[in-house]
Amino acid sequence: MKIPIEISARHIHLSEKDFEKLFGKNEKLIPLRKLSQPGEFASDKTVEIVNRNKKIANVRVLGPFRKNSQAEISLTDAYFLKLSPMPKIKVSGDLANTTKIIIKGEKSSIQIPCIIAKRHLHASIKEARQLKLKNNQKISVEVEGIRGITFHEIVVRISDNYRLALHLDTDEGNSAGIFGKTEGTLEL
Ligand SMILES: [Zn+2]
């Protein structure tokens, strides 16, 4: 069974309250580009991640607003920023006991939790049924090619707001030599 693979670059999710602090009450989060998951979009806003004398500029803010703000970066980013302790590898939304980072917007800087996103598969209820997958199940997906690799410990996340896609971060994509649109094979 073929699984579409998408590489997630570092990005930020914001609560409406944190957005207002960073950009001001009169600003709007304007969609620039739709993402594969229904309703999700890359916005016109970016922030800078700062840690002492290290910074990463132009980090994209995704929409829509979420209940809690979070940053998702790669381990390479975390080493570059010299974060200590290192952010934890967690599923999106699980923000307990992870490192906080400073992000800088047009109006101010705030601290938000930062994670390294755990690799995960999005699937709608129908797709999950077809693939015989259960929510939170762990699966493996093989990627072929010159850097062929099998990713294990992929968490299945099922919702009718989702569409089938394996999400990896840039470190994982690079490790498998993935450029642009790729598919993997679900291993059962
Ligand atoms: Zn995802």
Side-chain angles (χ1 to χ4, degrees):
M1 182 68 198
K2 291 291 179 197
I3 306 285
I5 300 177
E6 294 170 356
I7 309 300
S8 304
R10 67 179 79 94
H11 62 270
I12 308 284
H13 297 284
L14 292 175
S15 67
E16 193 165 8
K17 209 173 124 201
D18 284 346
F19 176 82
E20 285 179 1
K21 283 185 208 159
L22 288 165
F23 295 98
K25 276 203 187 309
N26 297 322
E27 274 297 321
K28 290 240 165 358
L29 191 64
I30 297 164
L32 273 192
R33 181 170 62 82
K34 281 185 182 175
L35 301 177
S36 75
Q37 298 308 309
E40 299 280 309
F41 60 87
S43 82
D44 61 332
K45 299 290 185 296
T46 61
V47 297
E48 202 169 88
I49 301 176
V50 188
N51 188 44
R52 287 182 270 182
N53 62 341
K54 297 284 183 186
K55 64 180 178 192
I56 299 178
N58 298 318
V59 182
R60 190 62 54 185
V61 177
L62 304 189
F65 293 127
R66 291 212 178 167
K67 192 159 163 270
N68 297 302
S69 299
Q70 71 180 51
E72 297 181 41
I73 66 173
S74 69
L75 275 169
T76 301
D77 292 338
Y79 283 117
F80 172 77
L81 291 163
K82 292 192 158 64
L83 296 179
S84 177
M86 291 289 273
K88 297 245 169 66
I89 298 172
K90 283 168 166 281
V91 292
S92 183
D94 175 10
L95 304 176
N97 304 317
T98 193
T99 302
K100 288 191 171 181
I101 54 160
I102 297 166
I103 57 171
K104 199 172 149 203
E106 284 158 18
K107 292 265 191 285
S108 71
S109 297
I110 59 168
Q111 260 202 340
I112 64 170
C114 178
I115 61 166
I116 316 291
K118 187 160 171 50
R119 57 185 75 129
H120 56 279
L121 178 85
H122 292 277
S124 69
I125 293 169
K126 195 175 155 201
E127 288 161 339
R129 200 180 299 130
Q130 283 166 351
L131 294 168
K132 298 191 169 61
L133 297 176
K134 295 206 162 56
N135 201 34
N136 291 325
Q137 180 186 348
K138 304 264 182 68
I139 56 161
S140 300
V141 170
E142 185 190 1
V143 180
E144 289 176 16
I146 199 162
R147 285 183 141 186
I149 196 169
T150 299
F151 290 100
H152 300 292
E153 290 287 317
I154 299 164
V155 183
V156 174
R157 308 193 77 184
I158 301 168
S159 160
D160 256 345
N161 297 323
Y162 291 159
R163 191 164 301 155
L164 192 67
L166 168 60
H167 280 176
L168 303 174
D169 75 9
T170 46
D171 284 350
E172 294 170 320
N174 290 342
S175 74
I178 294 170
F179 309 101
K181 277 198 171 163
T182 309
E183 286 184 328
T185 308
L186 178 63
E187 289 191 346
L188 291 172

